Amino acid sequence: MIESVKIRRQCMLDFYSHYEHLCALEGSVPLKAVKANVTQGALDIIVDRIKAADWVPILNAIRPNKTLISIGIRSFHQQSLGESGVERYKTYFRRRIPAIRSKDLTGQLCKALKCCLSISDVLKKLELQGLLLRERDLMLLTKGLATASSLQSVSLAHCPIGDGGLETICQSIKNSATIRYVNFTGCNLTWRGAEHIANVLKHQAMKRHGEAWAESLRYRRPDLDYMTGLRRITFNCNMLVGDGGASAFADCLGEDLWLKALDLQQCGISNEGARSLLDALQTNTTLVVLDIRKNPLVDHVMMKNVIERVLMNGTSANSEYMWLTSPSSKDALKTRPKKRTIVLGSGRKGKATIRIGLTSKKSVSPGGKQASVKDSYSPKPLPPGTKGFLPWRTAERAKRCSFWYYLIFDFIAQCNAVNSPVKVTVEGASTSETGDTEDLDDVIHHPDLAKSSDKINVTRNKQLQLELEECIEKFKEEQRARVKAEERVMELETENARLRNLNISLSEILRAQSVTNMILEDESVLGSIENSFQKFHAFLDFLKDAGLGQLAVLAGIDQSDFGLLGHPSMNST
């Protein structure tokens, strides 16, 4: 066999070795991001900084691969709303447009994914995030999804495909035998997109009803959990779905027996849409997650009723379908770097601060906002001449870092001795947002540690007492309900015994009536037979009186038979 063919066949079973081989052929350096998760059988890369030349070996390695379990292609690039056309190049800092935003490269990526989906037997998860997919790309992706034999999860989060693109994707999802989870978060969808997904659910429900009927033959019980079809749909951050989309979902949820989770966070739903979903839950007993949080037009009472009704269907804590904690649509594609600071105190040269982690982009001026004395540890400076006094310049020259670390370790030991909790807050990269809790400093409070711990203990004790009282009240209610239930059971048992005795007595009466009827019927039959014989003997006597007794002799009738039964002396006269 040719050596190149051997290498190609071996590389089909090992993604990273194939990728390195292709990089060697192209004369490029393998990217570290590609190698990061390959050991777990997953390819998860952020593509905003990958150049067009580096994409060639990646796509050629994805196309024939049969070993990857998960493929994730993510882009966090966001074009500013105020920058368009020529104005984009007038900014002070020019942002580069990633190569993945080009039309040709997205087409090549979808072609590679289509080939991988059609030949792979182990690929279970496909995640494309923040990519600009055109109609041609979606058609290629749809063909790959239709031929996939092991794919279970498809995510197109923050890909602006719109309702038309979703309709194209649904053509392959509705006939798929393996896809169980779809994620269309932030895809610019409206109520028409919700109708497309609802039509998919109805199509799959009709198909699965037929399978359930076939499996129920010969007294078998169909297993609904092992049937094909969607189990979770994530539709978050699509503000134009509204009440029309909620009504479309409610129409198909009323009689659905397979969907387990539906996420509708930030979908512009009001009380009307929530009420339609609540009405659908009156007949649906399989849905364990219906998330309509972060919809400000739904009031608290309605949301509480929907969540309580969903939780009655089953404990989602023990289920594989958990409630999502997704970020908002604005913060989903960017993360802010954070820093952590420890304020140790203030001396003659001002406040000393140690910064841990990432630094802020904006430098804080020395005269900026300082923490209050009550919220920071500020030891009193020793006067010159006393024991332990050390000039600040000498401390700086004599390895100031070791001195500060000594103070930190000493403070930690004091905290452990008092057994008081340490308050930790997080400060964001921007210092302009003062109202957010993420923009606070990590301050370690030293004074009044015992008082703070006592206050915390008091509040905890109060909370525990309140919880105990609630538990006692619930226990008493359950006891009362149990007593009522036992009384009701006793009443039902006595009523059952009375009905049983009445049934036995009625059955005995019916049996006695049947016996008497039989006796009366037998007596009537005997009476009719006796009357017939009397009439016959009277006829014979009449023949004898008429002188026709010889006819009876010829017939073989004895003379003793001429007398009537029981009256031998009687004659016809």
Side-chain angles (χ1 to χ4, degrees):
M1 186 179 291
I2 304 174
E3 188 68 23
S4 61
V5 177
K6 289 183 180 180
I7 294 174
R8 188 163 60 250
R9 289 189 176 182
Q10 291 175 359
C11 291
M12 288 173 65
L13 302 176
D14 188 2
F15 174 80
Y16 191 70
S17 62
H18 191 194
Y19 173 65
E20 287 183 336
H21 176 68
L22 294 174
C23 287
L25 293 179
E26 295 290 335
S28 59
V29 180
L31 300 177
K32 294 182 179 180
V34 178
K35 189 180 178 181
N37 297 320
V38 172
T39 55
Q40 291 86 16
L43 175 65
D44 196 345
I45 54 176
I46 299 176
V47 298
D48 291 335
R49 295 188 179 182
I50 298 180
K51 300 178 182 178
D54 295 331
W55 272 105
V56 177
I58 296 177
L59 297 179
N60 291 333
I62 292 175
R63 188 174 289 107
N65 185 263
K66 295 182 179 180
T67 59
L68 288 176
I69 301 175
S70 173
I71 296 178
I73 310 294
R74 307 175 190 276
S75 174
F76 297 100
H77 175 78
Q78 281 185 312
Q79 181 178 348
S80 177
L81 297 176
E83 298 177 2
S84 61
V86 182
E87 295 179 357
R88 186 185 308 139
Y89 301 97
K90 294 181 181 180
T91 57
Y92 177 74
F93 177 72
R94 178 180 174 182
R95 298 176 61 187
R96 290 184 178 181
I97 299 177
I100 194 63
R101 307 286 289 186
S102 65
K103 180 166 56 175
D104 296 335
L105 193 53
T106 53
Q108 294 176 11
L109 175 61
C110 291
K111 285 182 181 179
L113 292 174
K114 174 197 168 188
C115 296
C116 182
L117 288 170
S118 60
I119 65 173
S120 177
D121 295 332
V122 296
L123 184 61
K124 295 183 179 180
K125 185 177 181 180
L126 177 62
E127 190 169 359
L128 304 179
Q129 181 176 349
L131 301 184
L132 188 59
L133 300 177
R134 284 84 174 174
E135 183 178 359
R136 181 190 63 179
D137 306 333
L138 293 174
M139 291 296 295
L140 292 171
L141 196 60
T142 301
K143 293 179 181 178
L145 294 176
T147 57
S149 60
S150 61
L151 191 65
Q152 297 181 2
S153 174
V154 178
S155 176
L156 298 179
H158 304 287
C159 296
I161 60 175
D163 296 331
L166 180 60
E167 185 178 6
T168 304
I169 294 295
C170 287
Q171 297 300 322
S172 60
I173 291 177
K174 70 178 182 180
N175 295 320
S176 176
T178 57
I179 297 177
R180 302 169 64 89
Y181 170 52
V182 291
N183 183 3
F184 298 110
T185 299
C187 292
N188 295 342
L189 303 176
T190 64
W191 67 92
R192 297 187 184 276
E195 291 177 353
H196 296 328
I197 294 292
N199 292 332
V200 171
L201 291 176
K202 292 178 181 178
H203 175 80
Q204 291 185 349
M206 292 177 61
K207 186 176 179 181
R208 287 181 288 196
H209 275 299
E211 295 177 3
W213 176 81
E215 290 186 5
S216 63
L217 298 177
R218 295 186 179 181
Y219 305 101
R220 293 179 299 177
R221 187 174 183 178
D223 193 351
L224 304 181
D225 292 335
Y226 285 95
M227 291 185 180
T228 60
L230 295 177
R231 291 294 188 274
R232 180 164 201 149
I233 298 173
T234 301
F235 232 65
N236 297 335
C237 303
N238 292 294
M239 295 298 296
L240 297 180
V241 171
D243 295 334
S247 300
F249 280 122
D251 292 339
C252 63
L253 286 179
E255 299 179 355
D256 190 84
L257 301 176
W258 291 272
L259 190 66
K260 297 292 185 180
L262 178 62
D263 303 304
L264 296 175
Q265 294 185 15
Q266 294 185 0
C267 288
I269 300 174
S270 66
N271 285 332
E272 183 179 355
R275 191 175 295 107
S276 63
L277 292 172
L278 183 59
D279 294 337
L281 289 175
Q282 302 299 325
T283 56
N284 188 300
T285 59
T286 58
L287 196 68
V288 296
V289 175
L290 179 57
D291 195 353
I292 59 172
R293 295 174 296 174
K294 299 183 180 180
N295 287 292
L297 298 180
V298 180
D299 57 11
H300 180 71
V301 177
M302 178 63 68
M303 187 174 298
K304 183 179 178 181
N305 293 334
V306 172
I307 294 176
E308 287 180 352
R309 185 64 187 83
V310 171
L311 293 178
M312 290 173 62
N313 289 341
T315 56
S316 59
N318 298 327
S319 175
E320 58 177 329
Y321 306 99
M322 306 298 293
W323 291 73
L324 299 180
T325 57
S326 60
S328 63
S329 59
K330 295 181 180 180
D331 299 334
L333 298 179
K334 64 176 182 178
T335 57
R336 296 182 299 173
K338 299 177 181 180
K339 66 178 180 179
R340 303 177 65 187
T341 62
I342 298 177
V343 180
L344 294 177
S346 59
R348 295 186 178 183
K349 290 295 289 181
K351 185 178 296 184
T353 305
I354 294 178
R355 301 186 181 275
I356 303 173
L358 298 175
T359 58
S360 175
K361 294 181 180 179
K362 297 182 180 180
S363 62
V364 183
S365 60
K369 186 178 179 181
Q370 303 290 340
S372 62
V373 179
K374 190 179 290 185
D375 295 338
S376 63
Y377 170 53
S378 301
K380 294 181 180 180
L382 297 175
T386 59
K387 184 178 180 180
F389 173 76
L390 188 65
W392 66 270
R393 289 177 179 172
T394 307
E396 187 175 7
R397 285 194 299 268
K399 297 182 179 180
R400 181 179 54 183
C401 293
S402 61
F403 176 70
W404 291 119
Y405 278 112
Y406 170 76
L407 287 179
I408 293 173
F409 291 134
D410 187 17
F411 177 73
I412 293 173
Q414 293 179 2
C415 291
N416 292 331
V418 182
N419 292 325
S420 63
V422 179
K423 183 178 180 181
V424 178
T425 54
V426 180
E427 180 184 8
S430 175
T431 58
S432 61
E433 301 175 1
T434 59
D436 196 354
T437 58
E438 293 182 354
D439 297 332
L440 298 177
D441 294 336
D442 290 348
V443 182
I444 302 177
H445 304 279
H446 181 68
D448 297 335
L449 290 175
K451 294 182 179 179
S452 61
S453 62
D454 293 338
K455 291 181 180 179
I456 293 173
N457 292 330
V458 169
T459 54
R460 287 181 180 176
N461 290 331
K462 290 181 179 179
Q463 292 178 357
L464 291 175
Q465 288 179 356
L466 293 175
E467 292 178 358
L468 180 61
E469 292 177 357
E470 292 179 358
C471 293
I472 291 172
E473 291 179 358
K474 291 181 179 179
F475 180 70
K476 291 180 179 179
E477 291 179 357
E478 290 180 357
Q479 280 185 338
R480 289 192 293 269
R482 185 170 183 177
V483 170
K484 290 181 180 179
E486 290 178 352
E487 292 177 354
R488 182 60 178 168
V489 168
M490 292 296 293
E491 292 177 359
L492 293 176
E493 287 181 353
T494 54
E495 184 68 18
N496 192 11
R498 188 182 65 81
L499 293 175
R500 190 183 295 109
N501 295 330
L502 182 60
N503 189 12
I504 292 171
S505 61
L506 290 175
S507 62
E508 291 178 354
I509 292 171
L510 290 174
R511 190 181 299 110
Q513 289 180 355
S514 64
V515 172
T516 54
N517 290 331
M518 289 176 63
I519 294 172
L520 293 174
E521 288 177 358
D522 293 340
E523 290 180 353
S524 62
V525 170
L526 292 174
S528 63
I529 292 171
E530 185 177 357
N531 292 329
S532 300
F533 274 106
Q534 288 178 358
K535 290 179 181 180
F536 180 70
H537 285 291
F539 176 70
L540 292 177
D541 292 338
F542 178 75
L543 289 178
K544 181 180 178 182
D545 294 338
L548 298 176
Q550 295 179 356
L551 292 176
V553 174
L554 292 175
I557 300 174
D558 193 5
Q559 294 295 328
S560 62
D561 295 332
F562 291 160
L564 292 175
L565 292 174
H567 303 282
S569 61
M570 291 180 64
N571 52 21
S572 61
T573 58

